[in-house]
Amino acid sequence: MIQEILIVDGYNIIGSWPELQKLKEIRLEEARDRLIETMAEYQSFSGMKVIVVFDAYYVPGLGGKYLQSKLPVYYTKEKETADELIERLVTGHIGRRKQVYVATSDMTEQHVIFGKGALRIPASELLVKVRQIRQEIRRTIDTEAPPKRNSFDSRLSGDIRDQLEKWRRGN
């Protein structure tokens, strides 16, 4: 079985999706969190392993990898671009029985990762896939019947139920 891995260029997607783009203007952190939640939901339902990468080029520090909502989230090191980290991740994940995709609308990055053996998913196409998954989730929730109640009380005969009720009330 082939393992599918999706590497998401976080800020590129935020800048490309209308809802996140508006949210970014108000609060960048909230747009980041919303993208992570969306990608975690996508990972859960699609079965793909999803990795989100954020550029911290101008932020001093070592960068790092965090697990948020069961989703690996990478922040680049100081003076490292998201593109460089994505290229390293692609190189590290390419292998037998693995198919790596990179979600970005950066044309230069798309060409580079394609040369490394990964496939590209433009931001607009990823948005369509996310919306389709959300519709599937809603359909699944709507079509599943509510679970039948399996209570102890429903299995008792009327006489026994009456006797237990009398005991409960102290009669």
Side-chain angles (χ1 to χ4, degrees):
M1 187 166 169
I2 293 178
Q3 180 188 19
E4 293 184 308
I5 301 164
L6 173 64
I7 301 172
V8 178
D9 185 345
Y11 289 130
N12 184 275
I13 299 298
I14 288 172
S16 299
W17 290 3
E19 175 192 341
L20 295 180
Q21 198 173 25
K22 288 177 190 170
L23 196 53
K24 175 184 87 167
E25 301 302 321
I26 301 165
R27 237 179 122 215
L28 179 61
E29 186 178 316
E30 200 168 320
R32 241 187 350 246
D33 289 343
R34 182 83 51 91
L35 176 64
I36 292 168
E37 288 171 22
T38 301
M39 293 290 79
E41 183 179 85
Y42 185 81
Q43 175 176 261
S44 296
F45 204 78
S46 71
M48 280 182 123
K49 177 181 178 181
V50 178
I51 300 169
V52 179
V53 176
F54 290 107
D55 194 329
Y57 188 86
Y58 295 108
V59 180
L62 301 173
K65 174 186 175 187
Y66 305 92
L67 201 60
Q68 191 171 336
S69 301
K70 297 183 181 181
L71 189 76
V73 178
Y74 287 82
Y75 291 90
T76 63
K77 295 181 264 188
E78 182 179 5
K79 297 190 178 179
E80 178 184 37
T81 66
D83 293 351
E84 292 168 334
L85 178 54
I86 289 169
E87 290 165 24
R88 229 179 33 251
L89 288 169
V90 166
T91 302
H93 282 92
I94 287 289
R96 298 181 88 190
R97 300 186 182 273
K98 290 184 181 179
Q99 181 58 65
V100 179
Y101 301 89
V102 176
T104 183
S105 289
D106 179 336
M107 289 303 289
T108 306
E109 183 62 12
Q110 287 180 2
H111 291 299
V112 171
I113 59 98
F114 191 68
K116 292 186 175 283
L119 298 176
R120 60 188 166 84
I121 298 177
S124 57
E125 186 178 326
L126 182 60
L127 182 56
V128 168
K129 288 177 182 258
V130 164
R131 288 177 176 162
Q132 287 172 340
I133 290 256
R134 284 183 177 157
Q135 286 176 346
E136 285 182 45
I137 291 170
R138 275 190 222 106
R139 266 196 303 272
T140 302
I141 290 170
D142 291 343
T143 57
E144 286 184 4
K148 289 186 177 179
R149 193 156 181 196
N150 189 11
S151 67
F152 179 72
D153 184 48
S154 66
R155 296 180 179 259
L156 298 175
S157 69
D159 294 339
I160 294 176
R161 193 176 307 118
D162 291 341
Q163 184 62 45
L164 289 172
E165 184 62 26
K166 285 179 186 174
W167 289 345
R168 187 178 75 81
R169 292 178 185 265
N171 296 343

